[in-house]
Amino acid sequence: MLFISANLTREGVMTKTSVFQKASQMADQVECVKNKNKDADLLDTDFNMALSQVISGMAIPTFVIDRHHIVRFWNKACENLTGIPSTDVIGTKNAWIAFYPKKRPVLADLVVQHSDRDSVAGFYDHFKRSTLVEYAFEAQAFFPKMGGKGKWLYFIATPLKNDNGETIGAIETFQDITKRKQTEEHHLQILEAIPDPVIVYDPEHRIVVINDAFQDTYGWTRDELIGSKIDFVPDKEIEKTRQAWQRTINGEKIVFETRRNTKAGKILDIQIKTAILKDPDGNHTASIIIHRDVTALKQAEKERDRLILKLDKLASTDSLTGADNRRQFFKKAKQEFARSKRYEHPFTVLMIDIDHFKAINDNFGHQIGDDTLKQMAEKCIALLRENDLFGRIGGEEFAAVLVATDPAKAAKIAERLRQELEKINIRTPQGLICFTVSIGVACLTKSDKNLEAIIKRADDALYQAKKNGRNQVKCA
């Protein structure tokens, strides 16, 4: 687990690798002694004496059984660990009495009888085949009656073989990991106190710890994940995750936003914090990844942004016609005026007014008047270019800015607007009616200091169009 490797080194306790190495060395030394006694088995006196010297000198708690499961060696360190003197077990098949309340195989017994993984699983919950010592098993378990308050032990059983490759016994070594387990439990309690999902990886990126919040958020259980590698990164997030992981391995503490899949297939928005744990020698021992589910926050932000856009649109749009309101139109028009002035681009203003609009309201009612305004605005917006400006200035009066449009082209556009608007038919209880508009046109000149100067000329031209009989375009 995460805290195992880091804490073992700090406490001066042998690491798993060290125990493996010692177990391997023991097996090699036994093999060396056996080679010197070609005809020896574990029952031979000379061999017993040589092997006893090897094992007795070891600080690691160790015992040896022969092919008949009889205990042949039980060193002083094993006596100190278990509280069982060697005289109680040597020459018997009772190695189990130091560890279990009733008779059952110890790990060395299972190794001697060539047990497979399923057989070992019948006796131990936490075990695996050794990756460092061939044919060996490693396991860890809690022994409640040992030492008064119970002890957590980590142990390895390694087979002993003769020249023909036959198993003639097994060595089992132990390490007291009680303090380490207590530290792990303390750390797990800390992780469980964290409300956010936490996942801890070993250097090979296998999962060693997840807290309850991780299970609740993603749907996988500890039994499904511990010791495995989880694939819950959406394809679009793989490269971002890879880069963040590389920075983490290089020692940076990273905070970034990404997305993750749940077991049920839901995609969550996640904020991730990463950190690397190293032992005193600088070796990477584990990676801690804290996830914060920000899906609800992201949704709230999207809703906020949508609401802001809606409010901004309401604040800048005429609610009846959908055109820019007066304030928004003049804001945009001033910006476009300044740009056209700076780059000496053509700039044209159209002032548009519905002819006899008061008569439409008086004769057909305000609902028909509103329909007339809406259809007039919709037609103008449809006919003008996307980068042109259009707004309702007040009542039945509208204005347009034709961007980068010279006077001749502006006049043609204004005339086209007039003709198309004249074709609109408004349905009323009395039948279909139509309307006309008068348009005043004014273009930017070098003498214009501000937008208002052009607006005034366009407004004057509009007044002249109405004075001349309406339903016409007049250029300033």
Side-chain angles (χ1 to χ4, degrees), residues 174-196:
F174 297 85
Q175 182 179 6
D176 185 349
I177 59 171
T178 304
K179 288 185 178 180
R180 186 179 79 197
K181 282 291 186 178
Q182 291 171 345
T183 301
E184 287 176 9
E185 183 61 31
H186 175 66
H187 288 156
L188 286 173
Q189 290 173 0
I190 293 175
L191 291 182
E192 292 303 343
I194 299 175
D196 296 319

PDB file of all heavy atoms in Angstrom, residues 174-196:
ATOM      1  N   PHE A 174       9.450 -14.083   8.454  1.00  0.00           N
ATOM      2  CA  PHE A 174       8.400 -13.180   8.930  1.00  0.00           C
ATOM      3  C   PHE A 174       8.935 -11.774   9.157  1.00  0.00           C
ATOM      4  O   PHE A 174      10.120 -11.574   9.458  1.00  0.00           O
ATOM      5  CB  PHE A 174       7.801 -13.691  10.253  1.00  0.00           C
ATOM      6  CG  PHE A 174       7.123 -15.018  10.130  1.00  0.00           C
ATOM      7  CD1 PHE A 174       7.845 -16.201  10.222  1.00  0.00           C
ATOM      8  CD2 PHE A 174       5.760 -15.097   9.889  1.00  0.00           C
ATOM      9  CE1 PHE A 174       7.225 -17.428  10.098  1.00  0.00           C
ATOM     10  CE2 PHE A 174       5.127 -16.315   9.762  1.00  0.00           C
ATOM     11  CZ  PHE A 174       5.862 -17.489   9.866  1.00  0.00           C
ATOM     12  N   GLN A 175       8.036 -10.841   9.057  1.00  0.00           N
ATOM     13  CA  GLN A 175       8.330  -9.457   9.392  1.00  0.00           C
ATOM     14  C   GLN A 175       7.124  -8.890  10.151  1.00  0.00           C
ATOM     15  O   GLN A 175       5.982  -9.007   9.689  1.00  0.00           O
ATOM     16  CB  GLN A 175       8.594  -8.626   8.138  1.00  0.00           C
ATOM     17  CG  GLN A 175       8.960  -7.177   8.430  1.00  0.00           C
ATOM     18  CD  GLN A 175       9.224  -6.397   7.157  1.00  0.00           C
ATOM     19  OE1 GLN A 175       9.031  -6.914   6.064  1.00  0.00           O
ATOM     20  NE2 GLN A 175       9.645  -5.170   7.289  1.00  0.00           N
ATOM     21  N   ASP A 176       7.365  -8.309  11.295  1.00  0.00           N
ATOM     22  CA  ASP A 176       6.300  -7.696  12.093  1.00  0.00           C
ATOM     23  C   ASP A 176       5.968  -6.328  11.482  1.00  0.00           C
ATOM     24  O   ASP A 176       6.782  -5.402  11.521  1.00  0.00           O
ATOM     25  CB  ASP A 176       6.759  -7.539  13.543  1.00  0.00           C
ATOM     26  CG  ASP A 176       5.645  -7.025  14.455  1.00  0.00           C
ATOM     27  OD1 ASP A 176       4.589  -6.603  13.941  1.00  0.00           O
ATOM     28  OD2 ASP A 176       5.843  -7.054  15.687  1.00  0.00           O
ATOM     29  N   ILE A 177       4.777  -6.209  10.903  1.00  0.00           N
ATOM     30  CA  ILE A 177       4.381  -4.950  10.256  1.00  0.00           C
ATOM     31  C   ILE A 177       3.247  -4.264  11.030  1.00  0.00           C
ATOM     32  O   ILE A 177       2.498  -3.460  10.471  1.00  0.00           O
ATOM     33  CB  ILE A 177       3.961  -5.194   8.796  1.00  0.00           C
ATOM     34  CG1 ILE A 177       2.786  -6.172   8.712  1.00  0.00           C
ATOM     35  CG2 ILE A 177       5.136  -5.697   7.968  1.00  0.00           C
ATOM     36  CD1 ILE A 177       2.196  -6.288   7.310  1.00  0.00           C
ATOM     37  N   THR A 178       3.149  -4.583  12.329  1.00  0.00           N
ATOM     38  CA  THR A 178       2.053  -4.033  13.133  1.00  0.00           C
ATOM     39  C   THR A 178       2.081  -2.513  13.155  1.00  0.00           C
ATOM     40  O   THR A 178       1.056  -1.843  12.930  1.00  0.00           O
ATOM     41  CB  THR A 178       2.127  -4.578  14.564  1.00  0.00           C
ATOM     42  OG1 THR A 178       2.124  -6.010  14.525  1.00  0.00           O
ATOM     43  CG2 THR A 178       0.931  -4.087  15.382  1.00  0.00           C
ATOM     44  N   LYS A 179       3.245  -1.930  13.421  1.00  0.00           N
ATOM     45  CA  LYS A 179       3.339  -0.460  13.465  1.00  0.00           C
ATOM     46  C   LYS A 179       2.975   0.141  12.113  1.00  0.00           C
ATOM     47  O   LYS A 179       2.319   1.170  12.033  1.00  0.00           O
ATOM     48  CB  LYS A 179       4.746  -0.034  13.877  1.00  0.00           C
ATOM     49  CG  LYS A 179       5.056  -0.284  15.340  1.00  0.00           C
ATOM     50  CD  LYS A 179       6.426   0.269  15.697  1.00  0.00           C
ATOM     51  CE  LYS A 179       6.722   0.060  17.177  1.00  0.00           C
ATOM     52  NZ  LYS A 179       8.060   0.602  17.551  1.00  0.00           N
ATOM     53  N   ARG A 180       3.431  -0.524  11.061  1.00  0.00           N
ATOM     54  CA  ARG A 180       3.134  -0.029   9.728  1.00  0.00           C
ATOM     55  C   ARG A 180       1.627  -0.062   9.470  1.00  0.00           C
ATOM     56  O   ARG A 180       1.047   0.883   8.926  1.00  0.00           O
ATOM     57  CB  ARG A 180       3.859  -0.887   8.692  1.00  0.00           C
ATOM     58  CG  ARG A 180       3.728  -0.376   7.267  1.00  0.00           C
ATOM     59  CD  ARG A 180       4.485  -1.279   6.330  1.00  0.00           C
ATOM     60  NE  ARG A 180       3.725  -2.486   6.044  1.00  0.00           N
ATOM     61  CZ  ARG A 180       4.245  -3.598   5.533  1.00  0.00           C
ATOM     62  NH1 ARG A 180       5.531  -3.678   5.307  1.00  0.00           N
ATOM     63  NH2 ARG A 180       3.486  -4.645   5.277  1.00  0.00           N
ATOM     64  N   LYS A 181       0.975  -1.154   9.868  1.00  0.00           N
ATOM     65  CA  LYS A 181      -0.465  -1.280   9.681  1.00  0.00           C
ATOM     66  C   LYS A 181      -1.220  -0.233  10.496  1.00  0.00           C
ATOM     67  O   LYS A 181      -2.223   0.324  10.041  1.00  0.00           O
ATOM     68  CB  LYS A 181      -0.923  -2.687  10.076  1.00  0.00           C
ATOM     69  CG  LYS A 181      -0.642  -3.734   9.029  1.00  0.00           C
ATOM     70  CD  LYS A 181      -1.531  -3.505   7.798  1.00  0.00           C
ATOM     71  CE  LYS A 181      -1.395  -4.600   6.783  1.00  0.00           C
ATOM     72  NZ  LYS A 181      -2.294  -4.385   5.622  1.00  0.00           N
ATOM     73  N   GLN A 182      -0.730   0.026  11.699  1.00  0.00           N
ATOM     74  CA  GLN A 182      -1.362   1.056  12.520  1.00  0.00           C
ATOM     75  C   GLN A 182      -1.242   2.417  11.855  1.00  0.00           C
ATOM     76  O   GLN A 182      -2.180   3.218  11.858  1.00  0.00           O
ATOM     77  CB  GLN A 182      -0.731   1.068  13.909  1.00  0.00           C
ATOM     78  CG  GLN A 182      -1.057  -0.165  14.729  1.00  0.00           C
ATOM     79  CD  GLN A 182      -0.256  -0.259  16.015  1.00  0.00           C
ATOM     80  OE1 GLN A 182       0.755   0.440  16.195  1.00  0.00           O
ATOM     81  NE2 GLN A 182      -0.688  -1.126  16.924  1.00  0.00           N
ATOM     82  N   THR A 183      -0.049   2.655  11.272  1.00  0.00           N
ATOM     83  CA  THR A 183       0.154   3.915  10.562  1.00  0.00           C
ATOM     84  C   THR A 183      -0.759   3.988   9.333  1.00  0.00           C
ATOM     85  O   THR A 183      -1.361   5.023   9.046  1.00  0.00           O
ATOM     86  CB  THR A 183       1.621   4.045  10.122  1.00  0.00           C
ATOM     87  OG1 THR A 183       2.459   3.997  11.272  1.00  0.00           O
ATOM     88  CG2 THR A 183       1.854   5.364   9.389  1.00  0.00           C
ATOM     89  N   GLU A 184      -0.852   2.857   8.626  1.00  0.00           N
ATOM     90  CA  GLU A 184      -1.740   2.816   7.469  1.00  0.00           C
ATOM     91  C   GLU A 184      -3.185   3.099   7.874  1.00  0.00           C
ATOM     92  O   GLU A 184      -3.908   3.840   7.203  1.00  0.00           O
ATOM     93  CB  GLU A 184      -1.666   1.446   6.794  1.00  0.00           C
ATOM     94  CG  GLU A 184      -0.384   1.203   6.031  1.00  0.00           C
ATOM     95  CD  GLU A 184      -0.337  -0.198   5.461  1.00  0.00           C
ATOM     96  OE1 GLU A 184      -1.383  -0.893   5.519  1.00  0.00           O
ATOM     97  OE2 GLU A 184       0.719  -0.592   4.966  1.00  0.00           O
ATOM     98  N   GLU A 185      -3.608   2.484   8.970  1.00  0.00           N
ATOM     99  CA  GLU A 185      -4.967   2.682   9.437  1.00  0.00           C
ATOM    100  C   GLU A 185      -5.215   4.145   9.787  1.00  0.00           C
ATOM    101  O   GLU A 185      -6.272   4.702   9.491  1.00  0.00           O
ATOM    102  CB  GLU A 185      -5.235   1.800  10.668  1.00  0.00           C
ATOM    103  CG  GLU A 185      -6.655   1.871  11.194  1.00  0.00           C
ATOM    104  CD  GLU A 185      -7.686   1.415  10.178  1.00  0.00           C
ATOM    105  OE1 GLU A 185      -7.372   0.547   9.347  1.00  0.00           O
ATOM    106  OE2 GLU A 185      -8.812   1.952  10.213  1.00  0.00           O
ATOM    107  N   HIS A 186      -4.202   4.750  10.402  1.00  0.00           N
ATOM    108  CA  HIS A 186      -4.304   6.178  10.727  1.00  0.00           C
ATOM    109  C   HIS A 186      -4.437   6.996   9.441  1.00  0.00           C
ATOM    110  O   HIS A 186      -5.275   7.907   9.348  1.00  0.00           O
ATOM    111  CB  HIS A 186      -3.073   6.616  11.507  1.00  0.00           C
ATOM    112  CG  HIS A 186      -3.019   8.093  11.779  1.00  0.00           C
ATOM    113  ND1 HIS A 186      -3.925   8.734  12.586  1.00  0.00           N
ATOM    114  CD2 HIS A 186      -2.163   9.052  11.325  1.00  0.00           C
ATOM    115  CE1 HIS A 186      -3.643  10.032  12.626  1.00  0.00           C
ATOM    116  NE2 HIS A 186      -2.580  10.238  11.875  1.00  0.00           N
ATOM    117  N   HIS A 187      -3.618   6.656   8.459  1.00  0.00           N
ATOM    118  CA  HIS A 187      -3.680   7.377   7.191  1.00  0.00           C
ATOM    119  C   HIS A 187      -5.007   7.141   6.477  1.00  0.00           C
ATOM    120  O   HIS A 187      -5.578   8.055   5.871  1.00  0.00           O
ATOM    121  CB  HIS A 187      -2.525   6.937   6.282  1.00  0.00           C
ATOM    122  CG  HIS A 187      -1.196   7.454   6.736  1.00  0.00           C
ATOM    123  ND1 HIS A 187      -0.018   6.845   6.412  1.00  0.00           N
ATOM    124  CD2 HIS A 187      -0.859   8.521   7.500  1.00  0.00           C
ATOM    125  CE1 HIS A 187       0.989   7.505   6.935  1.00  0.00           C
ATOM    126  NE2 HIS A 187       0.501   8.522   7.609  1.00  0.00           N
ATOM    127  N   LEU A 188      -5.511   5.909   6.566  1.00  0.00           N
ATOM    128  CA  LEU A 188      -6.808   5.621   5.957  1.00  0.00           C
ATOM    129  C   LEU A 188      -7.917   6.413   6.631  1.00  0.00           C
ATOM    130  O   LEU A 188      -8.849   6.883   5.977  1.00  0.00           O
ATOM    131  CB  LEU A 188      -7.105   4.124   6.042  1.00  0.00           C
ATOM    132  CG  LEU A 188      -6.318   3.232   5.085  1.00  0.00           C
ATOM    133  CD1 LEU A 188      -6.588   1.766   5.385  1.00  0.00           C
ATOM    134  CD2 LEU A 188      -6.671   3.540   3.642  1.00  0.00           C
ATOM    135  N   GLN A 189      -7.809   6.566   7.950  1.00  0.00           N
ATOM    136  CA  GLN A 189      -8.802   7.376   8.667  1.00  0.00           C
ATOM    137  C   GLN A 189      -8.754   8.824   8.188  1.00  0.00           C
ATOM    138  O   GLN A 189      -9.795   9.480   8.054  1.00  0.00           O
ATOM    139  CB  GLN A 189      -8.562   7.299  10.173  1.00  0.00           C
ATOM    140  CG  GLN A 189      -8.877   5.936  10.775  1.00  0.00           C
ATOM    141  CD  GLN A 189      -8.486   5.834  12.231  1.00  0.00           C
ATOM    142  OE1 GLN A 189      -7.961   6.780  12.822  1.00  0.00           O
ATOM    143  NE2 GLN A 189      -8.718   4.679  12.825  1.00  0.00           N
ATOM    144  N   ILE A 190      -7.539   9.298   7.921  1.00  0.00           N
ATOM    145  CA  ILE A 190      -7.399  10.656   7.390  1.00  0.00           C
ATOM    146  C   ILE A 190      -8.047  10.747   6.012  1.00  0.00           C
ATOM    147  O   ILE A 190      -8.783  11.690   5.707  1.00  0.00           O
ATOM    148  CB  ILE A 190      -5.911  11.060   7.314  1.00  0.00           C
ATOM    149  CG1 ILE A 190      -5.320  11.178   8.732  1.00  0.00           C
ATOM    150  CG2 ILE A 190      -5.740  12.382   6.560  1.00  0.00           C
ATOM    151  CD1 ILE A 190      -3.839  11.443   8.759  1.00  0.00           C
ATOM    152  N   LEU A 191      -7.770   9.733   5.157  1.00  0.00           N
ATOM    153  CA  LEU A 191      -8.356   9.729   3.814  1.00  0.00           C
ATOM    154  C   LEU A 191      -9.879   9.686   3.874  1.00  0.00           C
ATOM    155  O   LEU A 191     -10.561  10.348   3.094  1.00  0.00           O
ATOM    156  CB  LEU A 191      -7.835   8.537   3.010  1.00  0.00           C
ATOM    157  CG  LEU A 191      -6.366   8.561   2.598  1.00  0.00           C
ATOM    158  CD1 LEU A 191      -6.047   7.333   1.765  1.00  0.00           C
ATOM    159  CD2 LEU A 191      -6.030   9.814   1.825  1.00  0.00           C
ATOM    160  N   GLU A 192     -10.403   8.891   4.810  1.00  0.00           N
ATOM    161  CA  GLU A 192     -11.852   8.789   4.918  1.00  0.00           C
ATOM    162  C   GLU A 192     -12.473  10.095   5.412  1.00  0.00           C
ATOM    163  O   GLU A 192     -13.646  10.363   5.159  1.00  0.00           O
ATOM    164  CB  GLU A 192     -12.246   7.639   5.848  1.00  0.00           C
ATOM    165  CG  GLU A 192     -11.924   6.260   5.311  1.00  0.00           C
ATOM    166  CD  GLU A 192     -12.576   5.988   3.966  1.00  0.00           C
ATOM    167  OE1 GLU A 192     -13.515   6.701   3.583  1.00  0.00           O
ATOM    168  OE2 GLU A 192     -12.121   5.059   3.275  1.00  0.00           O
ATOM    169  N   ALA A 193     -11.668  10.895   6.121  1.00  0.00           N
ATOM    170  CA  ALA A 193     -12.179  12.183   6.601  1.00  0.00           C
ATOM    171  C   ALA A 193     -12.242  13.218   5.479  1.00  0.00           C
ATOM    172  O   ALA A 193     -12.891  14.253   5.623  1.00  0.00           O
ATOM    173  CB  ALA A 193     -11.304  12.702   7.742  1.00  0.00           C
ATOM    174  N   ILE A 194     -11.553  12.928   4.371  1.00  0.00           N
ATOM    175  CA  ILE A 194     -11.577  13.838   3.226  1.00  0.00           C
ATOM    176  C   ILE A 194     -12.870  13.606   2.456  1.00  0.00           C
ATOM    177  O   ILE A 194     -13.153  12.488   2.035  1.00  0.00           O
ATOM    178  CB  ILE A 194     -10.361  13.603   2.310  1.00  0.00           C
ATOM    179  CG1 ILE A 194      -9.063  13.863   3.078  1.00  0.00           C
ATOM    180  CG2 ILE A 194     -10.435  14.503   1.074  1.00  0.00           C
ATOM    181  CD1 ILE A 194      -7.809  13.540   2.288  1.00  0.00           C
ATOM    182  N   PRO A 195     -13.694  14.631   2.264  1.00  0.00           N
ATOM    183  CA  PRO A 195     -14.986  14.431   1.596  1.00  0.00           C
ATOM    184  C   PRO A 195     -14.864  14.166   0.103  1.00  0.00           C
ATOM    185  O   PRO A 195     -15.801  13.678  -0.516  1.00  0.00           O
ATOM    186  CB  PRO A 195     -15.724  15.746   1.862  1.00  0.00           C
ATOM    187  CG  PRO A 195     -14.637  16.771   2.041  1.00  0.00           C
ATOM    188  CD  PRO A 195     -13.513  16.030   2.712  1.00  0.00           C
ATOM    189  N   ASP A 196     -13.721  14.497  -0.481  1.00  0.00           N
ATOM    190  CA  ASP A 196     -13.523  14.309  -1.913  1.00  0.00           C
ATOM    191  C   ASP A 196     -12.963  12.915  -2.202  1.00  0.00           C
ATOM    192  O   ASP A 196     -12.281  12.316  -1.356  1.00  0.00           O
ATOM    193  CB  ASP A 196     -12.553  15.360  -2.469  1.00  0.00           C
ATOM    194  CG  ASP A 196     -13.098  16.771  -2.345  1.00  0.00           C
ATOM    195  OD1 ASP A 196     -14.308  16.943  -2.599  1.00  0.00           O
ATOM    196  OD2 ASP A 196     -12.338  17.681  -1.993  1.00  0.00           O
TER     197      ASP A 196
END
